[in-house]
Amino acid sequence: QVNPLNVSVRTQDFAYCDVCVYVGCHVSHMYRTKVFILGPSHHVYLAGCALSSTTHYETPLYNLEIDQHVYRELQATGLFDQMSQSVDEEEHSIEMHLPYVAKVMESRRGQFTIVPVLVGALKEEREVEYGKIFSKYLADPSNLFVISSDFCHWGKRFSYTHYNKEHGPIHASIEKLDREGMARIESLDPRAFSAYLKDTQNTICGRHPIGVLLNAVDSLRSSHTDFDYCFKFVQYAQSNHCTSKSDSSVSYASGSLTITQK
């Protein structure tokens, strides 16, 4: 079983889509019937998660059908709100992944559905709760998970200018900061990742979807001891190599989670 996790695209910037495409090359799409896409909410405050109110999403390639059966299962938990159409249309974190999903899954066109989920500003205990809900879907080898995020937003316009001169120029300090977070994610320890975020305040917009995924793995580990779990980052980039405090940049990274039978 292989379940890739994509923590990649700056969801407003196609200029760095190669970071996303790189991990797409690692995805085995054979026998996939559902693609879960978890993205952070940018335009509306959510204390939980929300589902789309539409039946399909359009892409330049073909339409992607939303899985209404899974939606009903999620709604039955009482923990999922419904997005209004305006919120759905304004949010880019899920939208920008859709063409890649359509392309990667092109050979299975008409044979798979998508499960888009908008993730709000979750407290740690809510990340645990949602992780348990999604763990049963993560355990199913016919499901593929895509997690939308980027990494550090650095600069005055982002109100984040953390800089450790011991690591060299600003861009090198940013990369060191990001790679520390990436190492926490690779450890698959949700508590370690939460501690990193509290310590550094790194501006990772998809930190809550990532937290949900890490908690889903944590939940699976306790119930599926016959699985091996391995997360590896495969690509990293910055939109600009900052050298002065007047500069700004956004970081991007892609990685994949594989779950295999022991």
Side-chain angles (χ1 to χ4, degrees):
Q1 176 185 353
V2 180
N3 273 324
L5 159 66
N6 178 347
V7 282
S8 58
V9 181
R10 168 56 181 164
T11 45
Q12 289 177 328
D13 194 349
F14 271 124
Y16 292 85
C17 63
D18 62 314
V19 179
C20 183
V21 170
Y22 190 89
V23 80
C25 295
H26 293 250
V27 172
S28 172
H29 58 271
M30 190 174 295
Y31 309 121
R32 304 293 187 177
T33 60
K34 299 178 184 66
V35 181
F36 289 72
I37 309 169
L38 277 61
S41 177
H42 289 85
H43 299 286
V44 64
Y45 173 78
L46 289 173
C49 294
L51 307 175
S52 178
S53 57
T54 189
T55 58
H56 66 275
Y57 283 156
E58 295 180 354
T59 81
L61 299 175
Y62 54 92
N63 292 347
L64 299 174
E65 180 188 351
I66 294 177
D67 195 307
Q68 299 302 317
H69 174 72
V70 174
Y71 261 19
R72 286 191 293 271
E73 290 182 341
L74 296 177
Q75 289 164 346
T77 67
L79 295 174
F80 291 83
D81 296 323
Q82 190 171 62
M83 286 182 262
S84 67
Q85 184 171 335
S86 61
V87 168
D88 206 348
E89 290 176 346
E90 290 172 5
E91 182 53 63
H92 55 269
S93 68
I94 295 172
E95 177 187 12
M96 298 295 277
H97 286 274
L98 300 179
Y100 300 108
V101 170
K103 183 60 180 177
V104 168
M105 298 292 292
E106 197 165 21
S107 67
R108 293 190 55 76
R109 178 176 178 175
Q111 301 177 60
F112 74 97
T113 54
I114 63 169
V115 185
V117 180
L118 190 63
V119 180
L122 306 182
K123 295 182 179 180
E124 284 185 48
E125 55 268 26
R126 299 299 306 272
E127 290 182 357
V128 172
E129 195 170 18
Y130 284 106
K132 289 179 179 177
I133 291 172
F134 285 109
S135 65
K136 78 166 188 176
Y137 300 104
L138 187 64
D140 185 341
S142 68
N143 295 334
L144 174 70
F145 273 74
V146 177
I147 308 298
S148 174
S149 184
D150 49 22
F151 272 75
C152 184
H153 297 57
W154 194 94
K156 293 180 181 179
R157 68 190 181 106
F158 298 121
S159 300
Y160 189 78
T161 54
H162 170 87
Y163 176 35
N164 188 335
K165 293 182 180 179
E166 293 180 1
H167 298 143
I170 294 172
H171 64 84
S173 174
I174 294 171
E175 180 169 353
K176 175 69 173 177
L177 175 71
D178 283 334
R179 291 196 180 276
E180 288 175 2
M182 292 158 68
R184 300 293 179 95
I185 294 170
E186 287 183 333
S187 75
L188 294 174
D189 184 345
R191 290 160 292 278
F193 184 58
S194 292
Y196 162 83
L197 292 172
K198 289 177 182 177
D199 182 49
T200 66
Q201 299 296 304
N202 195 359
T203 47
I204 301 172
C205 73
R207 56 193 175 277
H208 297 299
I210 294 171
V212 170
L213 186 283
L214 293 179
N215 277 284
V217 172
D218 204 46
S219 179
L220 266 188
R221 276 176 161 168
S222 62
S223 59
H224 291 70
T225 56
D226 55 337
F227 287 163
D228 281 324
Y229 306 85
C230 180
F231 187 94
K232 290 294 181 184
F233 278 94
V234 295
Q235 192 80 319
Y236 176 81
Q238 295 176 1
S239 62
N240 181 39
H241 275 194
C242 297
T243 57
S244 72
K245 292 183 178 180
S246 61
D247 290 338
S248 65
S249 74
V250 178
S251 305
Y252 316 80
S254 293
S256 63
L257 167 69
T258 57
I259 304 174
T260 54
Q261 196 85 26
K262 288 183 178 178

